[in-house]
Amino acid sequence: MALETSADNPVPVRTVLNAVGGWIGRLGRVWVEGQITELNRRGGTVYLTLRDPAANISVRVVGARGVFDNPAVVDGARVVIHAKPDFYVNRGTFSLAAIEVRAVGVGELLARLEQLKRVLAAEGLFRPERKRPLPFLPGTIGLVCGRDSAAERDVLENARRRWPAVAFKVEPVAVQGSHAVGEVVEALRRLDADPSVEVIIITRGGGSLEDLLPFSDETMVRAVAAARTPVVSAIGHEQDAPLLDLVADHRASTPTDAAKRVVPDVREQLAAVRQLRDRGRRSVTGRIERELTWLNSLRSRPALADPVREVERKHEQVLAARDRARRALGVALDRAEDRLTHTRARLTALSPAATLARGYAIVQGADSEVLRSVEDLVPGETVWVRLPDGRRSATVDPLDRESGDP
């Protein structure tokens, strides 16, 4: 139950610590898993710090030497400890009193890694579509590796051999042991925050399953998944497969392979440039040759080879067409003239003028109407008489209509 205290009614330190000790004592014995650090054997007692691999949390563990009499109990080892929580009232410190220690076997580690792998895969951290492509020629490469390690030398030497001007920003860290996860994650965050770094390589050499455990740590895997900069994993050898390989944007089988994937080979690029230049030259030369062939073919045509001859030929064609047109027009005019003469003869034969020429005349009244009978003549009326060579007016005199004499 909670202590009843106030500013006017405080309790002494011993009361608080005794209460805390009582609460902790009620926890009973517990099984705790963690990673051993700061292992120290003094006399018949063993002191160590048990660290949580996924968080920056640790607890002090104390036990008899016989409890830890196990070759697997070394710095960096993963263990399961059966312990009783203990609160030392005189100093106000908390620790675990170890009763039994069991090393985490390889089979158990693999089972736990497989379970973690399934969880992360279900969250989509290993999906191919979330992986980003590497830049063709990064300006600066971030390198997370062990201090003065062979992996660092392999990456730097192979990268500079391929492209001498390549720049690196190296972050040396612990690549195994209890501090590996925290240091690698912190180095990754620093490089990811640097705008000049275009790709990050996380590398170390080969080792046992226990040595490579930090690179299957959930904290590190999630940090790589959250990074904005493309990450290349180059952990161990081809047969090693930490979870970091699955979440990274690209996996390299060795540190040397990482350098080859990230940095292009200057010799290969120069050869590619020469090849492309030769292809371009052949393409341009072939195009020019085809155009020259076409031009020569065009120039060999009669119209361009002897342009005056072509003009003369066209002139002859124009003259021939003109002569044909003149002949056709002359024939048409002759035919039209023949038709006109024939029509004139027919008109002349049918014309009243021909009748008049034989001695006849046409008498018309004042209204120009033809008078066809003497009955139509009115004495004293003016009529018109049409003769072959013209017409004249005349006045009708009285006459004997029966005899026709005046």
Side-chain angles (χ1 to χ4, degrees), residues 144 147 171-175 179-188 190:
V144 180
R147 297 175 178 86
E171 290 283 349
V173 295
V175 291
H179 302 288
V181 175
E183 292 187 15
V184 171
V185 170
E186 184 59 31
L188 174 65
R190 286 196 298 270

Side-chain angles (χ1 to χ4, degrees), residues 362 364-368 383-393:
I362 298 174
Q364 296 174 304
D367 57 358
S368 298
V383 296
W384 290 92
V385 180
R386 180 178 292 277
L387 297 172
D389 56 349
R391 70 174 186 167
R392 289 290 185 272
S393 62

Side-chain angles (χ1 to χ4, degrees), residues 197-263:
V197 176
E198 298 181 36
V199 63
I200 300 172
I201 300 175
I202 301 177
T203 184
R204 67 149 287 165
S208 64
L209 176 63
E210 291 79 2
D211 292 339
L212 300 182
L213 277 178
F215 299 96
S216 292
D217 185 86
E218 184 177 358
T219 302
M220 184 182 299
V221 170
R222 293 189 181 278
V224 171
R228 295 172 296 178
T229 308
V231 177
V232 176
S233 172
I235 306 301
H237 303 295
E238 180 67 34
Q239 67 274 13
D240 297 320
L243 297 184
L244 181 63
D245 288 349
L246 301 177
V247 75
D249 296 289
H250 290 270
R251 181 207 180 237
S253 57
T254 61
T256 301
D257 184 47
K260 293 180 179 180
R261 287 177 177 270
V262 173
V263 181

Side-chain angles (χ1 to χ4, degrees), residues 256-275:
T256 301
D257 184 47
K260 293 180 179 180
R261 287 177 177 270
V262 173
V263 181
D265 191 336
V266 65
R267 293 181 294 274
E268 293 178 359
Q269 299 304 315
L270 289 176
V273 169
R274 287 193 296 269
Q275 183 180 7

Side-chain angles (χ1 to χ4, degrees), residues 248-305:
D249 296 289
H250 290 270
R251 181 207 180 237
S253 57
T254 61
T256 301
D257 184 47
K260 293 180 179 180
R261 287 177 177 270
V262 173
V263 181
D265 191 336
V266 65
R267 293 181 294 274
E268 293 178 359
Q269 299 304 315
L270 289 176
V273 169
R274 287 193 296 269
Q275 183 180 7
L276 291 174
R277 184 177 58 193
D278 294 340
R279 288 174 57 188
R281 183 182 294 109
R282 289 194 300 270
S283 177
V284 172
T285 302
R287 180 64 180 272
I288 292 175
E289 290 176 352
R290 289 193 299 271
E291 295 297 329
L292 286 175
T293 302
W294 175 82
L295 183 60
N296 292 332
S297 174
L298 189 65
R299 292 174 59 187
S300 64
R301 295 178 181 178
L304 294 179

Side-chain angles (χ1 to χ4, degrees), residues 47-118:
Y47 302 89
L48 62 88
T49 299
L50 191 65
R51 178 183 173 276
D52 189 326
N56 189 22
I57 299 175
S58 60
V59 64
R60 190 70 172 167
V61 179
V62 181
R65 179 182 287 271
V67 174
F68 293 94
D69 190 12
N70 188 328
V73 178
V74 293
D75 269 330
R78 295 282 289 268
V79 294
V80 175
I81 298 178
H82 192 207
K84 180 180 181 303
D86 183 28
F87 186 75
Y88 188 43
V89 175
N90 291 342
R91 293 186 180 178
T93 58
F94 175 80
S95 64
L96 294 176
I99 301 170
E100 182 183 353
V101 178
R102 296 181 184 178
V104 178
V106 173
E108 188 175 355
L109 285 175
L110 292 176
R112 294 181 184 181
L113 289 179
E114 188 63 27
Q115 175 63 24
L116 178 59
K117 179 180 177 181
R118 287 195 294 268

